Amino acid sequence: MDERTLHRLRNDLNVVAMGLSLLKRQLERDASAETKDTLHRIELAAQRCAKAVAASGPR
């Protein structure tokens, strides 16, 4: 992957992480266990993607 593509992916992952954080805060009290589990799985997937992007090239 070229540096420009990696930069875009990093930016997109930052947007996803921020969105998840905001959503989690909003739903924390009223969310069902299933919703909380789904949010947790999405967070883990985003972390795995971030690690893969980080391993793909220099910053």
Side-chain angles (χ1 to χ4, degrees):
M1 240 181 272
D2 66 3
E3 186 60 32
R4 187 176 183 156
T5 301
L6 287 172
H7 181 74
R8 277 191 243 139
L9 283 172
R10 281 187 210 104
N11 286 342
D12 288 346
L13 284 168
N14 284 334
V15 171
V16 169
M18 292 298 293
L20 281 170
S21 179
L22 290 171
L23 185 60
K24 189 175 179 180
R25 273 190 243 141
Q26 288 179 348
L27 295 176
E28 212 162 52
R29 291 184 183 175
D30 300 326
S32 67
E34 183 179 9
T35 299
K36 289 178 182 179
D37 181 57
T38 300
L39 282 172
H40 182 68
R41 288 176 179 215
I42 293 169
E43 287 176 314
L44 293 175
Q47 290 171 4
R48 287 191 301 273
C49 290
K51 285 180 184 178
V53 168
S56 294
R59 279 192 122 165

